[in-house]
Amino acid sequence: TLLPSSSEVVLVTMISQAKANLWLLWLAATSGNVLGSCVNYWLGTHVLRFKHKNWFPVSAKGLEKAQSQFKKYGVYSLLFAWLP
């Protein structure tokens, strides 16, 4: 994301007020980030099996465009994937 979300604000607030053990805060934040990355990776590897469902958020044309850009530019096409 472009701006920090509420979880980072809560983490900084808790660190600045020393209301919890710093190592526990670090462990919770790191575990959450790693788990979120794992979930996103899993979703990315399994999402195409749902492309024929009515609720699938990307059109066939949009999916084809994204796949052709990835084939053309490879992993460099993901450089700005975090932008909205």
Side-chain angles (χ1 to χ4, degrees):
T1 58
L2 294 174
L3 299 173
S5 64
S6 60
S7 63
E8 283 83 5
V9 172
V10 170
L11 178 65
V12 169
T13 302
M14 291 187 76
I15 290 172
S16 67
Q17 294 181 1
K19 289 191 174 186
N21 185 335
L22 183 59
W23 287 106
L24 288 176
L25 291 173
W26 174 83
L27 181 64
T30 301
S31 300
N33 284 332
V34 170
L35 182 59
S37 296
C38 292
V39 167
N40 283 330
Y41 177 81
W42 183 87
L43 288 172
T45 58
H46 290 82
V47 71
L48 288 182
R49 75 168 115 168
F50 301 111
K51 69 181 179 182
H52 300 295
K53 301 286 186 181
N54 290 336
W55 51 263
F56 193 73
V58 180
S59 67
K61 184 178 177 182
L63 186 58
E64 184 179 321
K65 180 181 176 186
Q67 288 174 331
S68 69
Q69 285 181 343
F70 186 76
K71 286 179 185 175
K72 183 176 181 180
Y73 299 110
V75 295
Y76 297 108
S77 64
L78 302 176
L79 183 60
F80 295 108
W82 54 274
L83 290 172

